[in-house]
Amino acid sequence: MDERPDSPGATGPAPDAPARRPTRAETLAEAIASAITEGRLAPGMALEEERLAALHGVSRTPVREALRLLAATGLIEQRPRRGAVVARPEPARLAEMFQAMAELEAVCAGLCASAMGRAEKAALYARHAAMGRLARDGAVDAYRDANVGFHELLYAGAGNRYLAELAETTRRRLAPFRAAQLGGPDRLAASHAEHGAIVTAILAGDATAAAAAVRAHLAATEGAWGLMAGQPPARMG
Amino acid sequence: MDERPDSPGATGPAPDAPARRPTRAETLAEAIASAITEGRLAPGMALEEERLAALHGVSRTPVREALRLLAATGLIEQRPRRGAVVARPEPARLAEMFQAMAELEAVCAGLCASAMGRAEKAALYARHAAMGRLARDGAVDAYRDANVGFHELLYAGAGNRYLAELAETTRRRLAPFRAAQLGGPDRLAASHAEHGAIVTAILAGDATAAAAAVRAHLAATEGAWGLMAGQPPARMG
DNA sequence: GTATGCGCAACTGCATGCAATTTCGGCTGC
DNA sequence: GCAGCCGAAATTGCATGCAGTTGCGCATAC
């Protein structure tokens, strides 16, 4: 019964493998979080413990722990004795979160300008160039995927994992409200042009310009969210 | 279906009154968090569920939920099937967190410079002046308390609650490693002088200078932490 | 004396059950 | 017709119990 496939040399580059075999609560939390960020669970929906338990074939106990995790992450809201619902921040708070994310990314970009090595800068430029081709071809879906990677390069290039985590958490919490982003093809080209300003500033080592370019980029995308902020509460599907 | 027109116009600006009667898990989480930030639970200490349950007169269930909350907050670390310990970040990560906090506060200060109204600026200046008297008198404890309030004024003055939450969370996570701060009386005077640069920049509406002053301030205090980063793990007292 | 394998104690993960609170149905009264 | 009240169902909060795993101590072999 003792099989230990246990990392014989090259288990993988595993940057951090703290949870070898995740507990059910963690698996559940991940599943629910994905359902929220991908839009399968809309903001305002009620999350009943028993239903989630039955849905995932477990008891209520791990469900409750998963909900605690998600509540601390901010993806859901728990009212004592009144159940949990998918977080539905008020418009004012959404604006705050978006501004905070812009500032976080601006800080990252500023750090990138001085902290990135040659290899990282080359990778960033390569990604940018590839995205230019996608934008020219109008490949919206591929561009969106590559876009996530682009911003993650900014997080990683800053050389500050904690800052990157803050930015990624914020990005996740905003995900349900950014569905309509990159809607039009002109927006695609505009996005790429704004990325160009960011990349140029970073390659030049100009932290101030890089931060400003990021703020401009995110201010330009700001109009594309908040469309589903006024829905009435609903049951879980 | 059942529509609930809830939110009668202005549901209430109520900034935050979500937990009328908190659940035991939340109470526990708060208690343990305080114990950690105030140093009664040192980094690396093991947190056994049964012991915590007995200590607080509850069963293991709410303890487990509280630990989940704290793990998501980053104050503790949970290894599946191996228990939880008070978080003990490696020195490199501590440095990252401190840098991130400096940048967060710098962003706040920059926003303060343009977002603060006359009344808020007056309150900030008043607080700064009062702290000047405390520094002159060498009242370290009173200065430290007032210092927390000073930084909270910066968070609040930025007009972005989410950003303020990020900053406060980070500050809490760093709390166990900042015990020796403001050690000498010269540090007290220096701190006040650095605050003066921040206040001046904000009052003048100079966002760039305000951010730079905050970075300088936190860089100067950076040397006072990390003393307890190398202890071996220990049992809970 | 050091290294290896086995067995036990301790602890965590999860399921189940009960009590308390909230919510919704219908009813009474105005 | 509408507001207020009361009782039952639904749902959450918490305690308890059991199975599985981890870690440690001890005996054994080299």
Side-chain angles (χ1 to χ4, degrees):
Chain A
M1 62 153 49
D2 47 330
E3 309 194 34
R4 255 187 332 172
D6 190 73
S7 71
T11 298
D16 39 38
R20 283 282 299 262
R21 183 170 24 144
T23 178
R24 279 189 231 267
E26 295 169 31
T27 309
L28 271 171
E30 194 64 34
I32 300 174
S34 297
I36 292 175
T37 57
E38 293 169 10
R40 295 197 305 275
L41 285 176
M45 269 195 189
L47 299 167
E48 294 173 36
E49 299 174 359
E50 208 146 2
R51 202 168 303 219
L52 285 171
L55 187 63
H56 293 268
V58 299
S59 85
R60 280 176 48 216
T61 308
V63 172
R64 286 180 61 81
E65 294 183 10
L67 292 181
R68 289 284 186 204
L69 268 172
L70 295 170
T73 315
L75 273 176
I76 73 172
E77 291 171 13
Q78 271 185 319
R79 289 102 26 110
R81 281 161 228 288
R82 298 188 53 198
V85 299
V86 180
R88 189 176 49 178
E90 301 178 9
R93 184 166 177 88
L94 272 181
E96 286 181 5
M97 291 172 68
F98 203 89
Q99 183 189 30
M101 193 177 118
E103 295 296 336
L104 283 172
E105 289 206 17
V107 167
C108 285
L111 292 176
C112 281
S114 50
M116 266 189 168
R118 273 186 196 286
E120 283 174 297
K121 287 183 177 178
L124 183 70
Y125 185 79
R127 161 83 56 162
H128 175 59
M131 289 178 72
R133 290 187 286 275
L134 294 177
R136 257 197 304 280
D137 300 348
V140 178
D141 287 340
Y143 187 91
R144 177 163 34 224
D145 291 348
N147 185 45
V148 175
F150 179 83
H151 286 265
E152 279 172 359
L153 278 182
L154 289 186
Y155 303 158
N160 189 319
R161 270 204 164 278
Y162 181 75
L163 206 49
E165 288 168 17
L166 291 184
E168 274 171 34
T169 301
T170 303
R171 189 168 262 267
R172 250 161 80 119
R173 290 174 69 166
L174 282 172
F177 308 97
R178 293 161 48 113
Q181 206 175 344
L182 295 174
D186 46 337
R187 184 73 204 97
L188 215 64
S191 170
H192 184 254
E194 292 153 18
H195 280 193
I198 299 172
V199 171
T200 301
I202 290 178
L203 294 190
D206 188 339
T208 307
V214 166
R215 284 198 201 90
H217 174 46
L218 293 196
T221 71
E222 193 167 357
W225 50 269
L227 303 174
M228 47 177 57
Q231 289 180 135
R235 272 286 148 99
M236 201 177 73
Chain B
M1 314 269 205
D2 46 357
E3 306 201 26
R4 241 186 342 170
D6 78 17
S7 80
T11 301
D16 39 41
R20 281 285 298 264
R21 182 167 29 140
T23 176
R24 281 189 230 268
E26 296 168 31
T27 308
L28 271 172
E30 194 63 34
I32 300 174
S34 295
I36 294 175
T37 57
E38 293 169 11
R40 296 197 304 276
L41 285 177
M45 268 197 190
L47 298 165
E48 295 173 35
E49 300 174 358
E50 208 146 2
R51 202 168 304 220
L52 285 170
L55 188 62
H56 293 268
V58 297
S59 85
R60 280 177 48 216
T61 308
V63 172
R64 286 180 61 81
E65 295 183 10
L67 292 181
R68 289 285 186 204
L69 268 172
L70 294 171
T73 314
L75 273 176
I76 72 172
E77 291 171 13
Q78 270 185 320
R79 288 102 27 110
R81 280 164 234 285
R82 298 188 53 198
V85 298
V86 179
R88 190 176 48 177
E90 302 177 8
R93 183 165 178 90
L94 271 180
E96 286 181 4
M97 291 172 68
F98 204 90
Q99 182 190 32
M101 193 176 117
E103 295 295 336
L104 282 173
E105 288 206 17
V107 167
C108 284
L111 292 176
C112 280
S114 50
M116 265 189 168
R118 274 186 196 284
E120 282 175 297
K121 287 185 178 179
L124 183 70
Y125 184 79
R127 162 82 56 162
H128 175 58
M131 289 178 72
R133 289 187 286 275
L134 294 177
R136 255 196 306 279
D137 300 348
V140 178
D141 288 340
Y143 187 90
R144 177 164 32 226
D145 291 347
N147 185 44
V148 174
F150 179 83
H151 285 265
E152 280 172 359
L153 278 182
L154 289 187
Y155 303 158
N160 190 319
R161 268 205 166 278
Y162 181 75
L163 205 49
E165 287 168 18
L166 291 185
E168 274 172 35
T169 301
T170 304
R171 189 168 262 268
R172 249 161 81 118
R173 290 174 71 165
L174 282 172
F177 308 97
R178 293 159 50 111
Q181 205 175 343
L182 295 174
D186 45 336
R187 185 70 204 100
L188 215 63
S191 168
H192 184 254
E194 292 153 18
H195 281 195
I198 299 171
V199 171
T200 301
I202 290 179
L203 294 190
D206 188 339
T208 307
V214 165
R215 284 197 201 90
H217 174 47
L218 293 196
T221 71
E222 194 167 357
W225 50 269
L227 302 174
M228 46 178 57
Q231 290 181 132
R235 271 286 147 100
M236 201 177 72

mmCIF file of all heavy atoms in Angstrom, chain A residues 141-161:
data_model
loop_
_atom_site.group_PDB
_atom_site.id
_atom_site.type_symbol
_atom_site.label_atom_id
_atom_site.label_comp_id
_atom_site.label_asym_id
_atom_site.label_seq_id
_atom_site.Cartn_x
_atom_site.Cartn_y
_atom_site.Cartn_z
ATOM 1 N N ASP A 141 -10.130 35.359 -28.675
ATOM 2 C CA ASP A 141 -9.946 34.400 -27.580
ATOM 3 C C ASP A 141 -8.475 34.161 -27.299
ATOM 4 O O ASP A 141 -8.032 34.204 -26.151
ATOM 5 C CB ASP A 141 -10.631 33.078 -27.934
ATOM 6 C CG ASP A 141 -12.140 33.217 -27.834
ATOM 7 O OD1 ASP A 141 -12.601 34.159 -27.159
ATOM 8 O OD2 ASP A 141 -12.844 32.387 -28.439
ATOM 9 N N ALA A 142 -7.713 33.932 -28.341
ATOM 10 C CA ALA A 142 -6.286 33.694 -28.143
ATOM 11 C C ALA A 142 -5.632 34.921 -27.531
ATOM 12 O O ALA A 142 -4.750 34.807 -26.663
ATOM 13 C CB ALA A 142 -5.622 33.349 -29.479
ATOM 14 N N TYR A 143 -6.062 36.096 -27.989
ATOM 15 C CA TYR A 143 -5.481 37.322 -27.433
ATOM 16 C C TYR A 143 -5.792 37.431 -25.945
ATOM 17 O O TYR A 143 -4.926 37.781 -25.149
ATOM 18 C CB TYR A 143 -6.020 38.546 -28.167
ATOM 19 C CG TYR A 143 -5.351 39.829 -27.757
ATOM 20 C CD1 TYR A 143 -4.224 40.304 -28.415
ATOM 21 C CD2 TYR A 143 -5.842 40.583 -26.691
ATOM 22 C CE1 TYR A 143 -3.601 41.470 -28.033
ATOM 23 C CE2 TYR A 143 -5.222 41.751 -26.292
ATOM 24 C CZ TYR A 143 -4.107 42.197 -26.978
ATOM 25 O OH TYR A 143 -3.486 43.347 -26.583
ATOM 26 N N ARG A 144 -7.027 37.084 -25.589
ATOM 27 C CA ARG A 144 -7.397 37.190 -24.177
ATOM 28 C C ARG A 144 -6.531 36.262 -23.329
ATOM 29 O O ARG A 144 -6.040 36.644 -22.273
ATOM 30 C CB ARG A 144 -8.866 36.860 -23.984
ATOM 31 C CG ARG A 144 -9.278 36.876 -22.533
ATOM 32 C CD ARG A 144 -10.787 36.954 -22.379
ATOM 33 N NE ARG A 144 -11.483 36.239 -23.424
ATOM 34 C CZ ARG A 144 -12.551 36.713 -24.057
ATOM 35 N NH1 ARG A 144 -13.021 37.891 -23.740
ATOM 36 N NH2 ARG A 144 -13.146 36.006 -24.990
ATOM 37 N N ASP A 145 -6.349 35.035 -23.787
ATOM 38 C CA ASP A 145 -5.490 34.107 -23.041
ATOM 39 C C ASP A 145 -4.076 34.660 -22.923
ATOM 40 O O ASP A 145 -3.484 34.685 -21.840
ATOM 41 C CB ASP A 145 -5.462 32.745 -23.750
ATOM 42 C CG ASP A 145 -6.809 32.038 -23.651
ATOM 43 O OD1 ASP A 145 -7.652 32.502 -22.856
ATOM 44 O OD2 ASP A 145 -7.009 31.049 -24.360
ATOM 45 N N ALA A 146 -3.544 35.122 -24.055
ATOM 46 C CA ALA A 146 -2.183 35.651 -24.029
ATOM 47 C C ALA A 146 -2.106 36.882 -23.140
ATOM 48 O O ALA A 146 -1.079 37.143 -22.502
ATOM 49 C CB ALA A 146 -1.732 35.990 -25.450
ATOM 50 N N ASN A 147 -3.206 37.614 -23.072
ATOM 51 C CA ASN A 147 -3.239 38.824 -22.256
ATOM 52 C C ASN A 147 -3.022 38.494 -20.780
ATOM 53 O O ASN A 147 -2.273 39.183 -20.082
ATOM 54 C CB ASN A 147 -4.579 39.537 -22.456
ATOM 55 C CG ASN A 147 -4.633 40.856 -21.726
ATOM 56 O OD1 ASN A 147 -3.680 41.621 -21.777
ATOM 57 N ND2 ASN A 147 -5.735 41.109 -21.040
ATOM 58 N N VAL A 148 -3.687 37.454 -20.335
ATOM 59 C CA VAL A 148 -3.481 37.023 -18.951
ATOM 60 C C VAL A 148 -2.001 36.737 -18.717
ATOM 61 O O VAL A 148 -1.408 37.176 -17.729
ATOM 62 C CB VAL A 148 -4.329 35.775 -18.642
ATOM 63 C CG1 VAL A 148 -4.006 35.264 -17.252
ATOM 64 C CG2 VAL A 148 -5.807 36.109 -18.755
ATOM 65 N N GLY A 149 -1.395 36.019 -19.673
ATOM 66 C CA GLY A 149 0.020 35.714 -19.537
ATOM 67 C C GLY A 149 0.877 36.965 -19.536
ATOM 68 O O GLY A 149 1.860 37.059 -18.778
ATOM 69 N N PHE A 150 0.495 37.917 -20.335
ATOM 70 C CA PHE A 150 1.260 39.185 -20.380
ATOM 71 C C PHE A 150 1.271 39.857 -19.022
ATOM 72 O O PHE A 150 2.330 40.243 -18.503
ATOM 73 C CB PHE A 150 0.629 40.103 -21.429
ATOM 74 C CG PHE A 150 1.303 41.438 -21.558
ATOM 75 C CD1 PHE A 150 2.446 41.597 -22.333
ATOM 76 C CD2 PHE A 150 0.801 42.546 -20.901
ATOM 77 C CE1 PHE A 150 3.068 42.819 -22.446
ATOM 78 C CE2 PHE A 150 1.418 43.778 -21.012
ATOM 79 C CZ PHE A 150 2.554 43.913 -21.786
ATOM 80 N N HIS A 151 0.096 39.953 -18.434
ATOM 81 C CA HIS A 151 0.040 40.616 -17.133
ATOM 82 C C HIS A 151 0.762 39.792 -16.069
ATOM 83 O O HIS A 151 1.368 40.345 -15.152
ATOM 84 C CB HIS A 151 -1.414 40.876 -16.739
ATOM 85 C CG HIS A 151 -2.023 42.005 -17.519
ATOM 86 N ND1 HIS A 151 -2.060 43.286 -17.060
ATOM 87 C CD2 HIS A 151 -2.588 42.048 -18.750
ATOM 88 C CE1 HIS A 151 -2.633 44.071 -17.952
ATOM 89 N NE2 HIS A 151 -2.975 43.336 -19.002
ATOM 90 N N GLU A 152 0.714 38.469 -16.210
ATOM 91 C CA GLU A 152 1.448 37.651 -15.245
ATOM 92 C C GLU A 152 2.956 37.845 -15.400
ATOM 93 O O GLU A 152 3.699 37.772 -14.412
ATOM 94 C CB GLU A 152 1.072 36.177 -15.419
ATOM 95 C CG GLU A 152 -0.242 35.845 -14.727
ATOM 96 C CD GLU A 152 -0.733 34.443 -15.044
ATOM 97 O OE1 GLU A 152 -0.050 33.737 -15.814
ATOM 98 O OE2 GLU A 152 -1.802 34.075 -14.535
ATOM 99 N N LEU A 153 3.396 38.107 -16.612
ATOM 100 C CA LEU A 153 4.806 38.429 -16.800
ATOM 101 C C LEU A 153 5.166 39.701 -16.043
ATOM 102 O O LEU A 153 6.252 39.808 -15.460
ATOM 103 C CB LEU A 153 5.120 38.595 -18.290
ATOM 104 C CG LEU A 153 5.380 37.322 -19.080
ATOM 105 C CD1 LEU A 153 5.733 37.658 -20.522
ATOM 106 C CD2 LEU A 153 6.502 36.516 -18.446
ATOM 107 N N LEU A 154 4.246 40.651 -16.056
ATOM 108 C CA LEU A 154 4.506 41.878 -15.300
ATOM 109 C C LEU A 154 4.610 41.577 -13.810
ATOM 110 O O LEU A 154 5.490 42.091 -13.115
ATOM 111 C CB LEU A 154 3.387 42.891 -15.537
ATOM 112 C CG LEU A 154 3.321 43.544 -16.916
ATOM 113 C CD1 LEU A 154 2.258 44.629 -16.930
ATOM 114 C CD2 LEU A 154 4.663 44.127 -17.298
ATOM 115 N N TYR A 155 3.673 40.744 -13.322
ATOM 116 C CA TYR A 155 3.724 40.407 -11.899
ATOM 117 C C TYR A 155 5.042 39.719 -11.560
ATOM 118 O O TYR A 155 5.723 40.068 -10.604
ATOM 119 C CB TYR A 155 2.573 39.473 -11.514
ATOM 120 C CG TYR A 155 1.197 40.005 -11.815
ATOM 121 C CD1 TYR A 155 0.127 39.148 -11.954
ATOM 122 C CD2 TYR A 155 0.966 41.364 -11.956
ATOM 123 C CE1 TYR A 155 -1.141 39.624 -12.221
ATOM 124 C CE2 TYR A 155 -0.291 41.849 -12.230
ATOM 125 C CZ TYR A 155 -1.346 40.972 -12.363
ATOM 126 O OH TYR A 155 -2.591 41.438 -12.638
ATOM 127 N N ALA A 156 5.391 38.739 -12.360
ATOM 128 C CA ALA A 156 6.589 37.958 -12.058
ATOM 129 C C ALA A 156 7.842 38.808 -12.213
ATOM 130 O O ALA A 156 8.784 38.692 -11.416
ATOM 131 C CB ALA A 156 6.658 36.738 -12.973
ATOM 132 N N GLY A 157 7.848 39.671 -13.202
ATOM 133 C CA GLY A 157 9.043 40.453 -13.487
ATOM 134 C C GLY A 157 9.378 41.462 -12.412
ATOM 135 O O GLY A 157 10.520 41.916 -12.304
ATOM 136 N N ALA A 158 8.371 41.786 -11.605
ATOM 137 C CA ALA A 158 8.621 42.747 -10.534
ATOM 138 C C ALA A 158 9.505 42.141 -9.454
ATOM 139 O O ALA A 158 10.045 42.864 -8.618
ATOM 140 C CB ALA A 158 7.309 43.221 -9.935
ATOM 141 N N GLY A 159 9.617 40.822 -9.455
ATOM 142 C CA GLY A 159 10.480 40.183 -8.475
ATOM 143 C C GLY A 159 9.939 40.232 -7.066
ATOM 144 O O GLY A 159 10.696 40.174 -6.099
ATOM 145 N N ASN A 160 8.614 40.323 -6.954
ATOM 146 C CA ASN A 160 8.014 40.393 -5.631
ATOM 147 C C ASN A 160 6.768 39.513 -5.635
ATOM 148 O O ASN A 160 5.704 39.908 -6.091
ATOM 149 C CB ASN A 160 7.645 41.842 -5.280
ATOM 150 C CG ASN A 160 7.220 41.999 -3.834
ATOM 151 O OD1 ASN A 160 6.501 41.168 -3.307
ATOM 152 N ND2 ASN A 160 7.676 43.062 -3.203
ATOM 153 N N ARG A 161 6.933 38.297 -5.127
ATOM 154 C CA ARG A 161 5.849 37.333 -5.185
ATOM 155 C C ARG A 161 4.627 37.787 -4.402
ATOM 156 O O ARG A 161 3.486 37.548 -4.797
ATOM 157 C CB ARG A 161 6.319 35.985 -4.628
ATOM 158 C CG ARG A 161 6.908 35.067 -5.676
ATOM 159 C CD ARG A 161 6.794 33.607 -5.233
ATOM 160 N NE ARG A 161 6.996 32.706 -6.357
ATOM 161 C CZ ARG A 161 6.058 32.385 -7.225
ATOM 162 N NH1 ARG A 161 4.837 32.896 -7.089
ATOM 163 N NH2 ARG A 161 6.305 31.560 -8.203
#
